[in-house]
DNA sequence: CCGAATTAGTTGACTTTGACAACTAATAAT
DNA sequence: ATTATTAGTTGTCAAAGTCAACTAATTCGG
């Protein structure tokens, strides 16, 4: 039956399943953030000195969208936006304590959900799966890996 | 370095790579359709007697969004919307010749792009990959498989 | 060193998605 | 026969996305 189902269809379907359930569970715990905002906080925590353009590259979104999403995170005091001393065009984004706390809550929910959605998948298959996703990103002309700053602490 | 990257992040990244490049290539060939509209045409071609609610389930979208997307496909005469004889609530969606033709164009572009983005991935890994995506969908509470009507011809 | 090109960020206008409730019409259930 | 459910449609509103224009800072080529 499989008549070459488009890759984008399968990806979109799975992403939507994940996102819908994630945001649903966020709401249950009074967390009013989207998947993308969760990912942004995750990236900010895992990588130091990120600027908005980096996020735009990573998330494959227009930089104007990032500006607005960061604005929303700023309003909720999850991050602060600081002009970079060496290059005044750049704005460094730093997680606040508040942001760090909500990120941890969200991580737990996300990881539980991942476990649920991936139940029945073996460790080795999961590894292959993640590798293929990485390959897609690379073949699509991905950026270099980030350099982690080593300490994943809030400011 | 990998500190448990959220599943939704990886999926979202890959999907966006695929979608951005697909729509870019569509535009190059004067095709003004989105990934979702492509998927809808694909589903309509591969499965007979689909109604809008089926599409909503498959694409995990609200039915109101489907109505509007079908409206747009109607305006461009890629599909027709017919009231089902047995159940007058239902509307069957049928691909037109025009829709069938543009679908084939898009399929070619999509399949080429998939090949490019998946280059370096072995057949077995690809199989695992598709299986995991299927598992996610199933674990998320998926619908039953469609029954293909056997002939993938336009009306 | 100077002007041109590039880069990061921001804003505004506009379209499309998406969430959600209200509603109609048809069918199914009790 | 009344009630509940289902499919589809519409309206409203917020969020996401596109795109162009613009500022300010930096880099590049001469």
């Amino acid at each position: 039956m499989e008549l070459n189902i488009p890759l984008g269809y399968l990806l979109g379907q799975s992403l939507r399943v994940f996102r819908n359930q994630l945001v649903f569970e966020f709401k249950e715990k009074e967390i009013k953030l989207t998947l993308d905002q969760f990912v942004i906080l995750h990236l900010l925590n895992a990588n130091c000195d990120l600027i908005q353009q980096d996020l735009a590259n990573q998330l494959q979104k227009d930089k104007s969208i990032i500006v607005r999403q960061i604005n929303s995170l700023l309003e909720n005091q999850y991050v602060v936006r600081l002009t970079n001393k060496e290059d005044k065009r750049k704005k460094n984004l730093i997680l606040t304590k508040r942001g760090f706390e909500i990120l941890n809550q969200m991580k737990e929910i996300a990881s539980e959900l991942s476990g649920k959605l991936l139940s029945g998948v073996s460790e080795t298959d999961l590894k292959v799966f993640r590798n293929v996703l990485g390959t897609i990103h690379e073949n699509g002309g991905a950026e270099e890996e980030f350099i982690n700053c080593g300490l994943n602490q809030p400011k």
Side-chain angles (χ1 to χ4, degrees), chain A residues 26-43:
Chain A
F26 280 178
K27 278 183 187 160
E28 277 186 336
K29 305 212 170 164
E30 310 284 342
I31 298 173
K32 294 184 206 52
L33 294 182
T34 63
L35 169 61
D36 284 327
Q37 290 176 320
F38 163 47
V39 169
I40 287 175
L41 292 185
H42 178 86
L43 288 172

Side-chain angles (χ1 to χ4, degrees), chain A residues 46-63:
Chain A
N47 306 277
C48 49
D49 299 327
L50 278 192
I51 62 172
Q52 297 179 183
Q53 189 60 51
D54 295 330
L55 293 177
N57 295 142
Q58 277 296 305
L59 297 174
Q60 302 263 141
K61 287 178 193 253
D62 190 273
K63 54 190 178 172

Side-chain angles (χ1 to χ4, degrees), chain A residues 15-117:
Chain A
L15 174 61
R16 206 168 270 270
V17 165
F18 184 83
R19 185 173 49 199
N20 288 350
Q21 300 203 13
L22 187 74
V23 173
F24 177 80
E25 291 183 27
F26 280 178
K27 278 183 187 160
E28 277 186 336
K29 305 212 170 164
E30 310 284 342
I31 298 173
K32 294 184 206 52
L33 294 182
T34 63
L35 169 61
D36 284 327
Q37 290 176 320
F38 163 47
V39 169
I40 287 175
L41 292 185
H42 178 86
L43 288 172
L44 292 183
N45 184 50
N47 306 277
C48 49
D49 299 327
L50 278 192
I51 62 172
Q52 297 179 183
Q53 189 60 51
D54 295 330
L55 293 177
N57 295 142
Q58 277 296 305
L59 297 174
Q60 302 263 141
K61 287 178 193 253
D62 190 273
K63 54 190 178 172
S64 64
I65 301 171
I66 303 291
V67 170
R68 281 154 188 154
Q69 281 180 333
I70 297 291
N71 284 345
S72 148
L73 291 173
L74 271 171
E75 280 166 28
N76 290 292
Q77 299 170 339
Y78 294 134
V79 298
V80 288
R81 185 192 263 142
L82 298 175
T83 300
N84 185 294
K85 293 267 169 64
E86 281 100 52
D87 185 339
K88 286 173 195 155
R89 288 171 307 181
K90 298 179 179 174
K91 304 286 178 73
N92 288 113
L93 300 166
I94 318 284
L95 216 59
T96 62
K97 186 160 178 292
R98 209 171 126 75
F100 186 69
E101 282 165 4
I102 202 163
L103 173 61
N104 280 337
Q105 276 188 270
M106 292 191 292
K107 269 176 161 174
E108 198 165 329
I109 295 170
S111 133
E112 216 172 285
L113 178 60
S114 293
K116 180 188 150 202
L117 293 179

Side-chain angles (χ1 to χ4, degrees), chain A residues 116-128:
Chain A
K116 180 188 150 202
L117 293 179
L118 292 169
S119 74
V121 176
S122 71
E123 266 307 312
T124 52
D125 282 4
L126 187 53
K127 211 163 182 177
V128 168

Side-chain angles (χ1 to χ4, degrees), chain A residues 8 10 14 28 38 40 46 62 69 71-72 102 110 133 135 139-140 144-145 149 155:
Chain A
L10 294 173
S14 299
E28 277 186 336
F38 163 47
I40 287 175
D62 190 273
Q69 281 180 333
N71 284 345
S72 148
I102 202 163
L133 288 174
T135 303
N139 285 340
E144 284 307 302
E145 275 301 310
C149 51
K155 87 160 206 167

